[in-house]
Amino acid sequence: EAQVTQNPRYLITVTGKKLTVTCSQNMNHEYMSWYRQDPGLGLRQIYYSMNVEVTDKGDVPEGYKVSRKEKRNFPLILESPSPNQTSLYFCASSPLNIYEQYFGPGTRLTVT
Amino acid sequence: EDKVVQSPLSLVVHEGDTVTLNCSYEVTNFRSLLWYKQEKKAPTFLFMLTSSGIEKKSGRLSSILDKKELFSILNITATQTGDSAIYLCAVENSGYALNFGKGTSLLVTP
């Protein structure tokens, strides 16, 4: 089944404790992206990648890192999480023309 | 700075009504405009628009783009309770960055 998977789905952590949210897709898509969704602010792009070893900043990259060492994986790293990073995070992938982005199920992160 | 503005922010209608959702944008080097539907989970793709004046249609949903006036509309005819969702508009620039609007929350009552 074609899908984008994210882990974990829910995470409660404390300020400053490094964490990684994994994202994996099995559709051989070139394009992968991370978004955060907050009430009243909609979906905002954090980082995106057009292919292996190619990443670019989106609208809100501060406090986040990504890597794209393999085509299928695009982990999101929070080196020192802060409460303002409490949010719902979505990973998405698509062919390079972004005709249709497939979204993962979301990761709800709470930083206390 | 790229900007996508959706209106209205929320809407309540009765089943059977027709609704029009609006999306206006300002973007450097426009590439495409996309519509998504989000229920209580991840967004799902509805339409991609790249050319002005060409209507995209899927069942009771349709959408059109005006690249001169920089807006798009999403129409839903004969609404059903299952259409209740947040509808998201996103604009892609030539650098492949996607900028989403804040969404329109639609509630269809029986």
Side-chain angles (χ1 to χ4, degrees), chain A residues 27 39 43 53 63 79 82 94 99:
Chain A
M27 295 166 280
L43 269 169
E53 302 292 1
E79 295 270 4
S82 62
S94 73
Y99 177 69

Side-chain angles (χ1 to χ4, degrees), chain B residues 28-45:
Chain B
T28 307
N29 299 321
F30 174 90
R31 186 177 154 87
S32 68
L33 184 144
L34 304 107
W35 284 97
Y36 289 85
K37 177 182 181 182
Q38 185 177 23
E39 297 169 271
K40 290 189 188 299
K41 47 190 178 180
T44 54
F45 173 83

Side-chain angles (χ1 to χ4, degrees), chain B residues 9-55:
Chain B
L9 284 180
S10 69
L11 192 54
V12 181
V13 301
H14 291 297
E15 256 189 326
D17 288 351
T18 293
V19 298
T20 298
L21 310 183
N22 303 292
C23 176
S24 64
Y25 63 90
E26 294 173 25
V27 65
T28 307
N29 299 321
F30 174 90
R31 186 177 154 87
S32 68
L33 184 144
L34 304 107
W35 284 97
Y36 289 85
K37 177 182 181 182
Q38 185 177 23
E39 297 169 271
K40 290 189 188 299
K41 47 190 178 180
T44 54
F45 173 83
L46 293 174
F47 299 111
M48 182 183 83
L49 303 154
T50 56
S51 302
S52 271
I54 299 173
E55 186 183 52

Side-chain angles (χ1 to χ4, degrees), chain B residues 44-106:
Chain B
T44 54
F45 173 83
L46 293 174
F47 299 111
M48 182 183 83
L49 303 154
T50 56
S51 302
S52 271
I54 299 173
E55 186 183 52
K56 294 279 182 91
K57 201 168 167 62
S58 176
R60 296 176 293 101
L61 277 66
S62 64
S63 184
I64 198 160
L65 173 68
D66 185 329
K67 288 168 75 173
K68 184 180 173 190
E69 300 297 330
L70 306 182
F71 77 90
S72 173
I73 59 171
L74 176 68
N75 275 323
I76 309 174
T77 58
T79 51
Q80 302 170 357
T81 55
D83 295 325
S84 297
I86 296 173
Y87 291 84
L88 298 166
C89 172
V91 174
E92 180 196 358
N93 65 24
S94 60
Y96 297 94
L98 262 187
N99 198 330
F100 279 82
K102 294 180 182 179
T104 293
S105 177
L106 173 65

